Amino acid sequence: DAKTTQPNSMESNEEEPVHLPCNHSTISGTDYIHWYRQLPSQGPEYVIHGLTSNVNNRMASLAIAEDRKSSTLILHRATLRDAAVYYCILVPGGSEKLVFGKGTKLTVNP
Amino acid sequence: GAVVSQHPSRVICKSGTSVKIECRSLDFQATTMFWYRQFPKKSLMLMATSNEGSKATYEQGVEKDKFLINHASLTLSTLTVTSAHPEDSSFYICSVLAPTQETQYFGPGTRLLVL
């Protein structure tokens, strides 16, 4: 499985934007970029996914580099409820499996 | 997102006993469900893929005779930890493959403590 690299932790302030980076230099052409997050003591939650183009939904935006070797999850206005571990996962096209790495623990300060 | 329930949410059992965990897809029928395990301060590890009406597919290193999976209906998968030992204490999480087959919806998890 192609690997992703994320910072272990990040901090942000409430109501400010947050940019969570993910490096995936060995990504293949059919790998989708998925983001999930896990709040404390809960199961993970789907955030967003994309292939080549930037994506937006009600939770976040996903910015994908032109060479696809990196991507950034953008939370436009962080709230205390966004404090979680964020996982960037590469999913080969046609695959159903998710392989979780260590993720980035996001702390949101009031 | 879709609602996935797990029961029980917490269970404490004695070493040597068996524990059954249920995972239900409440919003749609699911032919494919997944079971994960998460140790404290670690990431989720996929244990097995549960397919309705057929045998589960286990990941390398997961004992199929110890972790019995039954997916007898399109809305229910069960994981039975047989002859549980303290090292089986963990957070067990199930997920349901969305109808689009592009994403997964996760349950709230079951915390198992084996004494």
Side-chain angles (χ1 to χ4, degrees):
Chain A
D1 296 315
K3 285 190 174 181
T4 62
T5 304
Q6 298 178 253
N8 290 332
S9 62
M10 289 185 66
E11 273 194 50
S12 70
N13 296 318
E14 202 174 6
E15 297 190 5
E16 291 185 356
V18 182
H19 291 234
L20 296 163
C22 181
N23 287 321
H24 28 78
S25 58
T26 59
I27 190 171
S28 74
T30 59
D31 287 342
Y32 285 77
I33 302 162
H34 284 237
W35 284 82
Y36 284 78
R37 71 180 185 180
Q38 186 177 23
L39 279 66
S41 299
Q42 296 187 29
E45 174 186 30
Y46 166 78
V47 179
I48 201 167
H49 77 287
L51 183 62
T52 55
S53 303
N54 294 344
V55 184
N56 299 296
N57 66 21
R58 64 176 180 80
M59 288 182 69
S61 295
L62 176 60
I64 301 173
E66 199 168 329
D67 64 4
R68 299 210 327 126
K69 293 186 176 183
S70 65
S71 61
T72 303
L73 179 70
I74 303 166
L75 306 179
H76 295 286
R77 286 184 70 216
T79 69
L80 297 178
R81 292 178 57 187
D82 291 322
V85 178
Y86 286 78
Y87 298 98
C88 169
I89 304 170
L90 297 185
V91 182
S95 173
E96 302 166 342
K97 290 185 181 180
L98 296 175
V99 179
F100 285 81
K102 295 181 180 180
T104 297
K105 183 176 182 179
L106 176 65
T107 300
V108 180
N109 300 313
Chain B
V3 178
V4 178
S5 70
Q6 282 186 239
H7 178 80
S9 57
R10 300 173 64 94
V11 56
I12 301 173
C13 69
K14 292 182 179 180
S15 186
T17 60
S18 295
V19 175
K20 180 186 286 188
I21 302 170
E22 294 184 347
C23 176
R24 293 183 184 275
S25 176
L26 302 181
D27 285 353
F28 55 82
Q29 294 181 328
T31 56
T32 304
M33 294 185 178
F34 303 89
W35 286 97
Y36 297 81
R37 180 169 54 181
Q38 185 175 33
F39 292 108
K41 299 191 185 301
K42 299 293 185 182
S43 192
L44 282 80
M45 293 294 294
L46 179 64
M47 299 176 68
T49 302
S50 171
N51 299 296
E52 189 270 337
S54 65
K55 290 183 179 180
T57 304
Y58 291 82
E59 295 299 303
Q60 193 172 8
V62 177
E63 300 175 58
K64 63 179 182 180
D65 294 330
K66 179 169 182 62
F67 299 100
L68 301 179
I69 292 172
N70 186 296
H71 194 155
S73 81
L74 288 171
T75 58
L76 174 64
S77 176
T78 60
L79 169 69
T80 301
V81 183
T82 62
S83 187
H85 287 96
E87 57 264 31
D88 298 322
S89 299
S90 189
F91 193 44
Y92 291 86
I93 308 168
C94 72
S95 73
V96 172
L97 185 64
T100 60
Q101 299 191 334
E102 292 183 344
T103 58
Q104 294 181 25
Y105 296 105
F106 286 81
T110 295
R111 197 163 297 280
L112 170 64
L113 176 61
V114 184
L115 301 176

